[in-house]
Amino acid sequence: MADIADPPVSDRGGSFLTRALWNPQRIWVLFSGLNILILSVMGLTHWAGWGGWEYAQGPGIHDRFFEVMVLLGKHLGYGALVVGICALARPLTWRLPQRLLLFSGVSILLAYPRALLMELGRTTPYGGGYRYAEWILGASAGIVALTIGNLVSSLVQRVQLEASLRRTASQRAAKAIHDLQTEEIRIRRMVSDQLHGTLQFRLVTVAAELDGIATRITPNESTVSVAAELRALSDRIEEIRELDVRSLSHSMLPSGVDLGTVPAIQSILSRVPADVATSLTLGPTCQRLMDEYQPPMPMAERLVIIYAVEEAVSNALRHGHATSLKVYFELHLTNDPNRRVAEVVVDDNGTGVPETGVFEYSGLSRHLERLEARDGTLNLISSPGGGARLRIELPVTYES
C-alpha cells in the first residue's frame, strides 16, 4: 500500500524567531530604526548639496570618508536616542494622540542638540538660519520615522487581532462540533441499548405470552385456527425482533465498535455470506500499536470509517457480485505524536468500477461528504484483482 507522506515539520528555531519578531513593540523599533537609517543616508545628500563634500577637512579621500562617517554617526546617534527614549516609554500602550505627542516632543527636543553638534563639527555652515533649518529637518525626520514605525506596528497589531479572532472562532467551532459528536454518540448508544435491551425483551415476552396462550387453548375445531393465528403472530414478532430491531440497533451503533475499529471491521466481515472469501490485513504500524495496547481511535472517527467500510462491502456484494473481499487497515504516524492518519483499503473481485468514474452509489457520496468534513478522502478506483478498490484516508487526533 502507498505510504502517506508526513506533514512538514515547522522549524522550531524559525518559529522562535518569528514569535520574537512578530511583536508590535519590536516591529515598531525595527521599522523606526530602519527609517532613521534611510533618512540618515538621505541626510548625506543634503550635506553634499550645500558643499560639505568640497569643504570636508583634509584633501585626501580618506579624510573625506572619515567626515562622511562622522556625519552618518551623528544622524544614527540622534536616531538611536529618539527611538530608544520613545521605546522606554512603551508608546504602543498609549492612545494615538499621546503617541504622536511623544514622538514630536522627543524628536524636537533632541533635534536641536544634533543641529548644534553638526554646526560645531563644521558639517553645516555657521549661522542661525542653517542651525534652525537643520533643527527642523532633524525633528521632521525623527517624527516621520517614528510615525511610520507606529503605522507598521499598528498593522501588525490588527493582523494579530484578526488572527486571534479567527483562532478563537475556529476553536469554538471545533468545540461545538466535538460537543455535537459527543452528544450524537451518546444518543446513538442510548437508543441502541434501548433497542437491544428493553424493546427486544418486551417483544420476547409478548411472543412468549402468545405462545403460552396458544398452548393453553383447548384444541377443537373452533379454536385450532385461533391458536395457529396466535403462533403465527408470535413468529412475526420474533421475526421483527430478530431482523428489524437488531438491524436498527446495529445502524445506531455497529457491533464491535466499543472494542475498537479492527473488531468492528471483523464483525462486518463475519456477517458476509460463507461462500465469499474475506480477509483483514493489518499494517505493521497498526499491528505494533495494537500489541502495545495503545488507546483506541476516538468514537467519532471510528464510526465514520466503520460505516464507510460497511458501505463498501455492501456495494461489492450487491452491485459487484464479488466472491472475494480483502480489507487492509493501517495507521500512519505523523510528526505530531497525538495525530495519525488512518488508511483503509477494501478490494474486491467483482464487476469493477463504472466507466463514468463517478460515484454511482448514493451511499458512497454520503460517506465522502462525512470524510471530507474531517479532512479525509475517499477514492473509488479499479482494483488490481479486476474488481473495485475503495481507499479511505482519515486524519485522527488522539487525546493526550
Side-chain angles (χ1 to χ4, degrees), residues 23-89:
N23 177 290
Q25 181 73 14
R26 294 188 180 95
I27 290 289
W28 175 80
V29 172
L30 176 64
F31 276 87
S32 297
L34 181 62
N35 280 281
I36 288 291
L37 177 61
I38 295 173
L39 292 172
S40 298
V41 175
M42 293 176 63
L44 294 177
T45 62
H46 167 69
W47 167 75
W50 69 262
W53 177 260
E54 298 297 331
Y55 293 98
Q57 294 179 357
I61 189 65
H62 299 291
D63 298 320
R64 293 185 177 185
F65 180 75
F66 177 77
E67 184 79 10
V68 170
M69 290 297 101
V70 170
L71 177 59
L72 186 60
K74 292 176 182 179
H75 290 325
L76 294 178
Y78 161 72
L81 281 174
V82 169
V83 175
I85 292 174
C86 289
L88 290 176

Side-chain angles (χ1 to χ4, degrees), residues 335-385:
N335 295 304
D336 184 351
N338 295 323
R339 186 176 174 85
R340 298 164 192 158
V341 178
E343 177 191 13
V344 184
V345 179
V346 182
D347 277 314
D348 67 67
N349 65 343
T351 56
V353 182
E355 295 182 359
T356 54
V358 299
F359 290 101
E360 186 179 3
Y361 315 121
S362 59
L364 287 182
S365 298
R366 290 195 302 270
H367 294 294
L368 175 62
E369 293 175 358
R370 292 172 184 170
L371 284 159
E372 288 182 341
R374 292 170 171 82
D375 296 326
T377 61
L378 186 150
N379 296 297
L380 181 64
I381 60 176
S382 297
S383 171

Side-chain angles (χ1 to χ4, degrees), residues 112-354:
Y112 189 75
R114 167 185 171 275
L116 286 176
L117 286 174
M118 294 183 69
E119 183 179 357
L120 294 175
R122 298 177 61 186
T123 49
T124 57
Y126 288 107
Y130 284 103
R131 183 191 314 149
Y132 291 121
E134 197 62 42
W135 183 18
I136 294 173
L137 288 175
S140 300
I143 294 172
V144 169
L146 297 174
T147 304
I148 292 177
N150 178 79
L151 175 62
V152 175
S153 62
S154 298
L155 293 176
V156 170
Q157 284 182 310
R158 180 175 298 179
V159 171
Q160 287 181 329
L161 177 61
E162 292 176 354
S164 176
L165 293 175
R166 286 195 298 269
R167 284 195 301 270
T168 301
S170 176
Q171 291 170 354
R172 288 177 178 174
K175 185 179 183 302
I177 292 174
H178 179 269
D179 292 343
L180 286 174
Q181 290 176 343
T182 303
E183 182 65 15
E184 177 191 359
I185 293 171
R186 187 189 69 82
I187 293 175
R188 281 177 177 271
R189 191 182 300 279
M190 181 184 68
V191 173
S192 177
D193 291 342
Q194 290 291 327
L195 290 172
H196 189 72
T198 305
L199 183 56
Q200 286 204 75
F201 174 75
R202 297 189 66 178
L203 289 175
V204 168
T205 56
V206 169
E209 289 176 2
L210 290 175
D211 284 336
I213 294 173
T215 302
R216 290 194 299 271
I217 292 177
T218 303
N220 55 52
E221 293 183 0
S222 61
T223 60
V224 168
S225 61
V226 175
E229 290 178 2
L230 289 175
R231 288 192 174 91
L233 184 59
S234 174
D235 292 340
R236 287 184 58 191
I237 292 176
E238 180 63 21
E239 181 181 356
I240 291 172
R241 183 193 69 82
E242 186 67 27
L243 298 180
D244 297 342
V245 176
R246 279 184 178 274
S247 175
L248 186 57
S249 175
H250 174 77
S251 65
M252 288 291 101
L253 208 63
S255 57
V257 69
D258 284 324
L259 301 177
T261 310
V262 173
I265 295 176
Q266 290 172 335
S267 177
I268 293 173
L269 296 179
S270 68
R271 298 194 300 272
V272 172
D275 58 342
V276 177
T278 62
S279 67
L280 172 60
T281 304
L282 303 182
T285 304
C286 179
Q287 186 64 62
R288 177 174 61 81
L289 293 174
M290 290 186 63
D291 294 340
E292 295 174 356
Y293 299 100
Q294 294 290 323
M297 184 183 301
M299 180 63 77
E301 286 81 1
R302 205 184 313 172
L303 287 173
V304 171
I305 290 177
I306 291 169
Y307 284 134
V309 171
E310 193 172 46
E311 183 73 23
V313 171
S314 177
N315 286 339
L317 297 177
R318 286 186 301 162
H319 304 289
H321 309 289
T323 59
S324 174
L325 286 168
K326 297 179 180 179
V327 180
Y328 175 82
F329 180 55
E330 175 64 309
L331 288 172
H332 297 275
L333 302 180
T334 68
N335 295 304
D336 184 351
N338 295 323
R339 186 176 174 85
R340 298 164 192 158
V341 178
E343 177 191 13
V344 184
V345 179
V346 182
D347 277 314
D348 67 67
N349 65 343
T351 56
V353 182

